[in-house]
Amino acid sequence: MSDEQMRDCSDAGTRPGHLDEAVKTLATGGLVVFPTDTVYGIAADAFTPKAVTALLNAKGRGRQMPPPVLIGDLRTLDGLATEIPQPVRDLVAEFWPGPLTVILTAQPSLHWDLGETHGTVALRMPDNEIALELLRRTGPLAVSSANKTGQDAAVTCADAAEQLKRAVRLYLDGGATPGAVPSTIVDATGPRLRIVREGVLTAEELGSIAPELLPENQVEEPADEPTDDEPAHEEPADDEAADGERDDDAGGPQDGDADLPDAETPEADEPDPEEHDSESTETAAGTDQASADETPRGSTEP
């Protein structure tokens, strides 16, 4: 990877110009790597199918592991998901931006193709200044952890570049991220909430807001078909980026990916970690997370 692809975003004074370049890159179908509150995430315009396919190819994963979607504003939630339970609203009000990825039923009117999501989307709002500034300019992004499937999640931009090389058009370097612990993933598509993967946030912390998530109130259910990220379902940069089962973080599960969830979405989707990651930078219907992370149908995240 050449220096021309790397941008130092640690200086708030020069960052706006680098973010402008990232916005243009994503708008033309290119891939961008950026930091999340978990690990680094690799991002694509969620509403450009070819870009999402390029993201999956860069990671070496198939459509059965869709990436999560990261957003930059809480108001975007209702533009991307429907049938949102009140406990989920309480959880995101408390923990967003942060390492929480939520799998929800996707709005049926959305024109996107994140992979085999089964009508769901893994969403996260990452707690990282660079990620949020970018997401508020672009709208929702499909984000998975910035690493090859099966490899360690990237906690520095150099780590991500070493694995993804020229498959990514632009790298935004924000320094080292907190670490490879992905976002926690909660599935809200069933009759009751359940924790799919426990990451940065514990069941006790979530249960303090939504009691049904306390360990003693969780009901054992058959395991979902494995995916390797946090994410939708992987976290973006899980979280993440991002956090992968769906594909994680920097928004849903990840395989070493970050737990960090439309190109432009309806007004409600504008400003949006965090992602559908988990290992995501902890970064839609997919969550992609750390290599060991597995996410429910459609989730990988940073």
Side-chain angles (χ1 to χ4, degrees), residues 252-276:
Q254 316 159 139
D255 51 329
D257 310 344
D259 164 56
L260 296 306
D262 314 333
E264 291 296 335
T265 51
E267 272 190 13
D269 308 51
E270 289 185 17
D272 105 315
E274 204 190 349
E275 164 124 257
H276 298 224

Side-chain angles (χ1 to χ4, degrees), residues 85-110:
Q86 186 56 47
V88 168
R89 294 187 184 281
D90 296 338
L91 287 169
V92 299
E94 177 68 21
F95 297 113
W96 277 7
L100 172 65
T101 297
V102 184
I103 300 174
L104 294 160
T105 299
Q107 284 283 3
S109 60
L110 293 176

